[in-house]
Amino acid sequence: MPRSGPVVMAWNVFKFCTALRAFGSLMILLVLGIVGVSYYAVVVANYGPALGAGGIDSLLALAVLILFHVLLGLLLWSYFSVVFTDPGSVPPNWKPTIDEEIGENAPLTNLDFSNHILNLQQGHIAETGNPTIRYCRKCNQLKPPRCHHCSVCGRCVLKMDHHCVWVVNCVGALNYKFFLLFLFYTFLETTLVTLSLFPHFIAFFKDVEIPGTPGTLATTFLTFVLNLAFALSVLGFLIMHVSLVAKNTTTIEAYEKKTTPRWKYDLGRKKNFEQVFGADKRYWFIPLYSEEDLRRMPALQGLEYPTKPDLDAQ
């Protein structure tokens, strides 16, 4: 009986996430609506007209508008890359080529392997220790390393980090970089909007006449408050995910390995960063990967990940 409260809460949260998935298009429209309001306040209402003022004001307005549009383009590019990129699905009839625990060739066709899979299907998993072969009874298939089942999407996702209602998609191996860039450019854009509208926001509290219609002034005030709130909240998420990338872990794995002293996928900050962003520096700040990185780095495909023992063996 004492556990009924948390169980009910977890169930309600699950239903809430499922409902948000059903109204996914509305979440996209909400994001575009916030972008539209910000665009109107910065470009149409304030800095667009200031271009014709002449002098320093015109140069400042031009600089703000150029930076605003560049960041907005990168933000939307990253956002829709997360929305429309599959985070990674388990290929049909996938089987592991090596034993995840000891790094030796796994006898995938012998009787022991077949019996082990049958036990996993029937739920006969030992209560102690991690099985060398992971199996999803919901999807009825084997699970690659670092793969988790998403209850909202109803499928297994490669290197799943979390299900994000804002992008109406799971964040996993194939779109995690795009999600991080979305956070990064959202923080920069909202910070720019906040700073550029700050003088106009301060004017509301001064005993001076402010040019503009009541609707324009209200939009400017609302845009400043919204962007300040988003800048602060996104900064927290960005800091959290930067720390996860530095340790080569995900949100789910960080929760699961609280009692694990060492993490076998932690290869050092440089290699951990490349596991997400690739090795080609030209592609670090855009939601794309070079063909060479995709060919040379299996981790970017979400099925195989180097570990510390692998590096020691090289």
Side-chain angles (χ1 to χ4, degrees):
M1 290 301 292
R3 296 184 179 180
S4 60
V7 172
V8 172
M9 182 180 295
W11 172 246
N12 290 339
V13 169
F14 170 74
K15 290 196 298 184
F16 178 69
C17 291
T18 305
L20 286 179
R21 181 191 174 204
F23 294 101
S25 58
L26 295 180
M27 298 300 295
I28 297 177
L29 291 177
L30 178 60
V31 172
L32 295 179
I34 296 173
V35 170
V37 170
S38 300
Y39 191 92
Y40 176 82
V42 174
V43 179
V44 179
N46 292 288
Y47 285 90
L51 286 175
I56 298 297
D57 291 339
S58 294
L59 293 177
L60 176 62
L62 180 62
V64 169
L65 291 174
I66 291 176
L67 188 56
F68 177 87
H69 284 90
V70 170
L71 291 176
L72 180 61
L74 292 169
L75 186 158
L76 292 177
W77 185 10
S78 301
Y79 177 72
F80 285 110
S81 295
V82 184
V83 172
F84 294 114
T85 300
D86 191 305
S89 301
V90 182
N93 302 319
W94 178 86
K95 290 183 179 180
T97 56
I98 62 172
D99 187 307
E100 295 180 26
E101 296 296 322
I102 60 177
E104 296 178 355
N105 293 333
L108 299 179
T109 58
N110 63 13
L111 182 61
D112 293 337
F113 177 81
S114 301
N115 291 336
H116 185 62
I117 297 302
L118 181 62
N119 289 334
L120 291 173
Q121 290 174 327
Q122 295 175 349
H124 303 316
I125 303 177
E127 296 182 358
T128 59
N130 294 323
T132 58
I133 302 173
R134 303 166 66 234
Y135 189 85
C136 179
R137 292 191 295 274
K138 295 180 180 179
C139 296
N140 196 32
Q141 65 181 8
L142 295 172
K143 294 169 63 175
R146 314 184 74 177
C147 176
H148 291 82
H149 184 88
C150 176
S151 298
V152 180
C153 293
R155 65 188 178 102
C156 286
V157 176
L158 300 179
K159 196 187 176 185
M160 178 180 172
D161 186 88
H162 69 288
H163 185 92
C164 181
V165 296
W166 286 100
V167 302
V168 201
N169 197 4
C170 261
V171 177
L174 304 187
N175 65 354
Y176 185 48
K177 172 189 174 181
F178 310 155
F179 176 76
L180 294 177
L181 290 176
F182 168 59
L183 290 181
F184 178 64
Y185 290 123
T186 298
F187 172 70
L188 293 182
E189 181 78 337
T190 53
T191 300
L192 173 65
V193 173
T194 301
L195 294 177
S196 62
L197 295 183
F198 183 71
H200 304 275
F201 177 78
I202 293 297
F204 282 100
F205 303 97
K206 293 182 177 181
D207 189 16
V208 295
E209 184 178 352
I210 306 175
T213 65
T216 299
L217 299 178
T219 302
T220 299
F221 186 92
L222 175 64
T223 302
F224 174 85
V225 174
L226 279 177
N227 280 269
L228 176 61
F230 274 104
L232 295 176
S233 60
V234 170
L235 178 60
F237 281 109
L238 189 59
I239 293 174
M240 182 191 75
H241 280 283
V242 167
S243 66
L244 292 177
V245 172
K247 299 175 182 177
N248 200 358
T249 187
T250 65
T251 302
I252 295 177
E253 291 169 345
Y255 174 79
E256 290 180 341
K257 68 182 183 70
K258 285 183 178 179
T259 58
T260 304
R262 300 183 63 187
W263 182 236
K264 65 179 182 178
Y265 297 111
D266 188 354
L267 312 177
R269 292 183 179 180
K270 182 177 183 295
K271 290 186 177 296
N272 292 345
F273 179 85
E274 292 177 349
Q275 292 279 300
V276 176
F277 286 85
D280 195 332
K281 298 179 181 179
R282 297 173 299 173
Y283 290 81
W284 281 357
F285 294 100
I286 59 175
L288 292 172
Y289 289 105
S290 68
E291 294 184 2
E292 183 178 0
D293 278 348
L294 291 175
R295 183 176 61 255
R296 292 176 54 251
M297 303 180 67
L300 298 180
Q301 304 294 338
L303 292 173
E304 299 178 11
Y305 297 94
T307 60
K308 288 181 179 178
D310 294 337
L311 294 179
D312 293 338
Q314 291 180 355

